Amino acid sequence: VLENIFSPGEKNSRKYRFTEFLIGKMITEFLDSRRTTGLKMPGDVKAFIFQLFNKLAFDRDVSFEEAEQFVGFQSLVVAMGVLAEILPEPFYRFLSSTSRQYTRYVQEFEPYVENMYGNELRRSCAPSSASCVTQATAAILDGITLAGGVSMPTDISTAVGVLYSTHTTNPYPAREIPAGKELEFFWENIRFFAPVVGFPHWSKRPTCQNSTPEETAKLNKHWGRQEACKEGPKNRITGYADVNEYQGGIRHVPNLAVAQRDPRRWGADSNQFVVRDLKAYKENSVGFAEMAEDTSVANGKMNRSCPGKTLALMIGEAFLKLFKKDEWEVVSPEPTLDHAAHLHELYAEETTKLNKGEGRQEACKEGPKNQITGYADFNQYAGGVRQVPHIALAQRDPRRFGADSNQFVVRDLKAYMDNSVGFAEMAEDSSVANGKMNRSCPGKTLALMIGEAFLKLFKKDEWEVVSPERIEFTMGPTWVSEFVLQA
């Protein structure tokens, strides 16, 4: 169903030609409609992509005002995707309004999915066709909200942004699309400004709540099929059954953004914005998770590459062909292209004035309250430059810890004192505000004191572990699975 929804079909087929025509027509109408109001990037493009996806998928016309409302919801869902992972259970109720809005969109789309794909889903999902239609609708909504609905506006915005930006962060000072190379230019935006950074998969599923790894493994069937974990009693706080999202599982997250700049595939200029031959993109790209295909498994039904790849490239190429740079001027030609690849047209001067001497800052002025949240809207990252040193990697840097840096080796204290950054030791500068702006861990000495005392007083021969073979060491931040010791 997803492939049918997000694929234009075989090249030169009737569906392909019609999709191409419809995309061109809607882009032209969209650009014409923005000539009097201005074109806000990426907000207006997000709204347009929602309109376009509705028309392509369901032959459904959506007004620009409706699309803008969806963009507001979309932004909230994207933010919640990060927040919800770390939110304590008692606060789940604060997500209920977002959850209800998501349900309303599923209910809104469901009749269209039923009308177009109901028979197909009934054949493949009997006897539970009703739930299968709902699942298919939710998957389509996920694609519109979180996948193509975010990725397409991101790379269209960067593509337009590099044509205008005079900021030092613009990686493409030429600021012109080579003649007849709109598709290659859009490809380079996808490569350089990877809209999808990670592509996770599980090589071992997490252990079902209140179950064992052995019982969980029995739920894996042939041909990529799986049975769901049994649902337990409802949690009194959340109202839902508890689930185990990761413990006991092994999850891999290939970094597509890094792979898209791998010099072993893209050459010595891999970290530069260079419009390349189509052949280079077709042979080396992993931006659409092209590597996640294996037709020998379930006849390809378990492929996880992007089903909208051809459609995305078609939209991007058409937009860049129909967008005429000389017909538009940017309000502020210093929009920055940050590491998340989002285009910002923000005036930074007033914000900069809030930075005072000796590390002091004034707060941003509070605006009107948001009707949904009850709080004033604020910008958490747009226009800023944020660096996140990867301390876990630095703690295994062979340039500091030697050739055995990726092995657990008890070293001399001097090695730790000279090389550790685990307590952010590098974040100290006593010349700034007399050290009051230091960001190293103030509890370093205390932490080491507690750890040393615990290990001195813990006697291994006085304890035994219930199942030592189940103590697994995985990725951080937890690193080790739960286990029980008995005296």
Side-chain angles (χ1 to χ4, degrees), residues 55 75 166 201 211 279 314 322 360 392 408 443 473:
K55 190 65 176 178
S75 300
T166 56
H201 69 277
S211 185
K279 186 173 183 286
M314 183 184 288
L322 293 167
R360 298 179 183 275
F408 188 99
F473 294 90

Side-chain angles (χ1 to χ4, degrees), residues 70-342:
F70 175 82
V71 170
F73 162 75
Q74 179 188 46
S75 300
L76 194 58
V77 170
V78 172
M80 289 298 179
V82 177
L83 176 63
E85 290 292 327
I86 60 174
L87 199 66
E89 290 180 355
F91 294 95
Y92 282 7
R93 64 180 182 274
F94 294 115
L95 305 180
S96 58
S97 62
T98 307
S99 176
R100 286 194 297 271
Q101 181 63 44
Y102 191 88
T103 300
R104 284 195 288 270
Y105 274 115
V106 170
Q107 292 169 343
E108 188 177 317
F109 286 134
E110 201 163 355
Y112 294 94
V113 177
E114 168 66 36
N115 182 54
M116 297 180 69
Y117 301 103
N119 291 334
E120 180 182 342
L121 290 168
R122 270 186 283 277
R123 286 195 300 272
S124 60
C125 296
S128 57
S129 59
S131 65
C132 217
V133 169
T134 302
Q135 287 182 48
T137 305
I140 293 166
L141 184 57
D142 282 350
I144 295 174
T145 308
L146 299 170
V150 173
S151 300
M152 283 304 307
T154 294
D155 279 323
I156 287 175
S157 295
T158 60
V160 174
V162 297
L163 296 179
Y164 289 96
S165 176
T166 56
H167 196 275
T168 56
T169 58
N170 187 354
Y172 188 63
R175 299 202 295 273
E176 294 290 344
I177 301 175
K181 298 285 186 178
E182 289 85 3
L183 179 57
E184 291 89 337
F185 185 78
F186 190 65
W187 256 119
E188 183 63 10
N189 274 271
I190 294 171
R191 185 195 75 84
F192 194 86
F193 299 108
V196 179
V197 176
F199 186 74
H201 69 277
W202 297 90
S203 59
K204 179 184 177 184
R205 68 187 286 181
T207 303
C208 292
Q209 187 79 17
N210 302 320
S211 185
T212 65
E214 293 78 15
E215 290 300 316
T216 301
K218 291 177 182 177
L219 299 176
N220 298 330
K221 307 302 179 183
H222 295 296
W223 289 96
R225 296 181 182 273
Q226 289 183 329
E227 291 182 12
C229 297
K230 291 181 180 179
E231 187 171 323
K234 288 185 178 180
N235 183 305
R236 288 186 297 176
I237 298 175
T238 66
Y240 300 95
D242 290 330
V243 295
N244 172 33
E245 293 188 271
Y246 58 88
Q247 290 181 342
I250 299 176
R251 190 178 191 230
H252 309 270
V253 187
N255 193 322
L256 302 187
V258 172
Q260 288 284 75
R261 298 194 190 187
D262 188 344
R264 294 171 297 181
R265 302 296 304 194
W266 300 96
D269 59 359
S270 62
N271 211 34
Q272 298 173 36
F273 189 103
V274 177
V275 180
R276 304 160 200 272
D277 293 334
L278 278 179
K279 186 173 183 286
Y281 299 112
K282 291 177 181 177
E283 291 181 351
N284 300 316
S285 171
V286 291
F288 293 96
E290 290 92 340
M291 69 290 185
E293 296 182 357
D294 188 345
T295 55
S296 70
V297 176
N299 296 321
K301 292 181 180 179
M302 295 298 290
N303 287 350
R304 290 296 179 267
S305 57
C306 176
K309 176 181 177 179
T310 302
L311 180 62
L313 294 170
M314 183 184 288
I315 294 170
E317 181 183 16
F319 192 98
L320 294 174
K321 282 183 175 179
L322 293 167
F323 179 86
K324 306 301 181 185
K325 180 184 173 183
D326 56 3
E327 296 177 2
W328 300 80
E329 62 179 19
V330 72
V331 175
S332 174
E334 301 85 27
T336 64
L337 297 161
D338 70 11
H339 296 289
H342 294 294

Side-chain angles (χ1 to χ4, degrees), residues 34 104 154 179 307 398 423 467:
R34 297 294 98 191
R104 284 195 288 270
T154 294
F423 293 94
S467 301

